[in-house]
Amino acid sequence: MHFEKKVSVICMTYNHKAFIRKCLDGFVMQKTAFPFEVIVHDDASTDGTAQIITEYAEKYPDIICPVLQKENQWSKGIKISKNFIYPRIRGEYVAVCEGDDYWTDEYKLQKQADFLDTHPDFTLCFHPVTIKWECQNRKDELFPSPAFRFHKTVLELSDLQKHNFIQTNSVMIRWRFHRDSTDMIPDKIMPGDWFLYMLHAELGKIGFLPDVMSVYRKHETGVWHGARRTPEWFIRKAPFSIRFFREMEARFDYSHTGELVFMEYGRKFALEDQEHGKSLLRTIQRGFKFLTVPLMMLFSSENKRIFWKNYGKALLVSMAWYIR
C-alpha cells in the first residue's frame, strides 16, 4: 500500500490558547527523513485557539492541516474522530498529542518510525513522558514507572488489558484502519485511546523506547481533572467509563469487575446527592455501610471481595464529597 505521508499526527484542541503554541512548536521542530502531517482539529474554541492554529497553518502549510469547527461538535454528540479526523489520515503510522501537551525531542517521530520500520511484528511503540503539574505544587514525575509497565520493554495485548501504561502523547501506531473499518471502535467510551491501543495490540507487539520525549500537563481544565473524585465527574463521565469496561469485556474477554463496581456505585451516590442535596444523615449512613465492608470481605469469595472492596471505595469517595 502506498502512503502519501510516513506519519500522521492527530491533535485535538478546545480552548487551549494557553498551551497550543508550545504544542504546535513541538510538531514543527520535528526533524525527519520523511514527510509527515499534523491534523489539528479545533472544536469551535471560544478563546482564540483557532486563530493561533491558523497562524501556524499559514506558516507551515506542508505540515499543519487545520480542521476548524464553527460549532462545537462534541456538544452535539457527533463522533469527532470518526467523522473529521480518521478519514483525513494519510500516514502509514499515527502519533497523537492533545493541544495542551507537547513534545520535547525534535527526533521523536524519526525514532519511533525507525523502530516500527525495523520491527514489522510490532504495531505500537511508546516512551516515558514527564508529568507536569500545572495546578498543584508537586514535582514533575515520569510515567510510566518500570513497575507500571511490568519491567518489560516488549509488551503485548495481555499486558495492556490489565491497565493502560501508554500515555497519549507518547504513542506511535501502525494504523490498521487503512484496511479495517473504524466501526469496530465503540462510541461514547472513555478512555477511548486505551481501547484504540488494544485494537492495534491484537495485531502485533508493543515496544518501549527509553527516551523521555514529551510532556503531559495536569491542569484544572484538563479532561481528567477531578476524575474518580468529584460527584460532577461521576455524573458526567462515569457512564462513558462504564461503557468502556463493558465493551472491553465483550471485545477482549477481559473483565474489570472492580472498576465497574466503583464507577456504577460512585455514579449512583452522586446522582442521589444531586437529586436530594448533600445530607449529613445520608453521609453517616454511608459511613456505617463502609464499616461493614471489611467484615463482608472476610467471609466472601475472591470475586465477592473484589465487589466489596470497590463498593467500599465508592462509599469512601462519596463521604468525602460532604466536606468539600
Side-chain angles (χ1 to χ4, degrees):
M1 182 181 293
H2 173 73
F3 298 99
E4 294 182 50
K5 306 286 184 179
K6 169 67 79 171
V7 178
S8 293
V9 180
I10 295 173
C11 178
M12 297 179 67
T13 72
Y14 179 69
N15 285 352
H16 285 155
K17 182 180 179 181
F19 311 113
I20 191 64
R21 286 190 183 277
K22 196 148 192 175
C23 176
L24 296 173
D25 285 340
F27 299 149
V28 300
M29 76 174 183
Q30 292 298 303
K31 295 181 178 179
T32 65
F34 51 75
F36 68 95
E37 63 180 353
V38 181
I39 304 166
V40 187
H41 180 279
D42 180 74
D43 200 16
S45 291
T46 58
D47 66 347
T49 299
Q51 288 82 350
I52 297 172
I53 295 168
T54 299
E55 173 192 328
Y56 276 75
E58 291 173 350
K59 189 174 181 180
Y60 304 97
D62 295 334
I63 297 176
I64 307 296
C65 308
V67 183
L68 308 178
Q69 301 292 350
K70 299 299 183 185
E71 297 181 352
N72 187 270
Q73 304 299 302
W74 183 86
S75 63
K76 296 180 178 181
I78 295 175
K79 308 161 190 173
I80 292 174
S81 294
K82 289 184 181 179
N83 284 284
F84 302 113
I85 298 176
Y86 295 164
R88 287 178 163 84
I89 290 173
R90 296 179 291 170
E92 179 180 4
Y93 307 141
V94 169
V96 186
C97 186
E98 305 294 343
D100 51 349
D101 300 324
Y102 59 96
W103 295 344
T104 55
D105 189 322
E106 61 189 2
Y107 293 103
K108 170 186 158 67
L109 292 183
Q110 186 69 57
K111 291 175 182 179
Q112 292 190 275
D114 285 348
F115 179 89
L116 292 178
D117 282 347
T118 56
H119 296 79
D121 53 335
F122 284 68
T123 49
L124 303 101
C125 64
F126 72 105
H127 56 79
V129 307
T130 300
I131 298 178
K132 187 175 183 63
W133 297 86
E134 303 281 352
C135 56
Q136 298 181 33
N137 186 22
R138 292 176 58 171
K139 292 182 178 180
D140 293 350
E141 303 170 14
L142 282 184
F143 177 86
S145 66
F148 201 71
R149 57 177 170 84
F150 310 107
H151 297 280
K152 296 180 179 180
T153 57
V154 176
L155 302 103
E156 53 192 30
L157 177 60
S158 60
D159 298 308
L160 194 54
Q161 287 172 325
K162 293 168 186 159
H163 57 246
N164 184 18
F165 42 78
I166 303 176
Q167 211 293 315
T168 307
N169 68 356
S170 76
V171 74
M172 185 174 283
I173 305 168
R174 192 185 304 275
W175 195 242
R176 73 179 291 177
F177 297 111
H178 289 301
R179 59 183 186 280
D180 295 330
S181 172
T182 57
D183 289 343
M184 69 173 64
I185 306 172
D187 299 321
K188 298 180 180 179
I189 62 170
M190 183 175 163
D193 56 346
W194 185 6
F195 204 95
L196 188 68
Y197 305 154
M198 288 189 289
L199 285 173
H200 285 85
E202 286 182 320
L203 304 180
K205 293 181 282 190
I206 306 166
F208 174 75
L209 282 64
D211 296 346
V212 180
M213 296 190 276
S214 58
V215 169
Y216 170 59
R217 298 182 194 259
K218 289 268 194 177
H219 57 90
E220 292 182 351
T221 58
V223 172
W224 289 97
H225 182 72
R228 304 161 63 91
R229 297 193 308 275
T230 66
E232 296 81 9
W233 188 89
F234 277 97
I235 291 169
R236 295 181 59 205
K237 303 294 187 182
F240 300 105
S241 287
I242 291 168
R243 180 171 169 78
F244 168 87
F245 288 112
R246 288 176 176 162
E247 291 285 347
M248 181 179 180
E249 183 171 8
R251 173 79 190 193
F252 303 104
D253 193 28
Y254 192 97
S255 296
H256 278 265
T257 306
E259 291 287 344
L260 273 172
V261 171
F262 178 62
M263 294 291 175
E264 288 172 344
Y265 277 94
R267 186 165 190 267
K268 175 180 180 293
F269 299 147
L271 289 170
E272 285 177 358
D273 291 351
Q274 182 187 58
E275 182 177 356
H276 303 292
K278 288 183 178 180
S279 165
L280 178 59
L281 177 60
R282 193 181 312 116
T283 302
I284 292 172
Q285 289 173 336
R286 290 175 186 169
F288 279 115
K289 290 180 180 178
F290 176 75
L291 292 176
T292 68
V293 167
L295 186 64
M296 300 302 293
M297 288 179 64
L298 187 62
F299 296 102
S300 296
S301 65
E302 181 61 31
N303 286 340
K304 283 290 186 180
R305 277 197 289 272
I306 292 172
F307 172 91
W308 285 111
K309 176 183 177 182
N310 288 279
Y311 175 69
K313 282 169 57 181
L315 283 168
L316 194 60
V317 168
S318 68
M319 289 159 59
W321 298 336
Y322 186 81
I323 60 175
R324 285 177 66 218

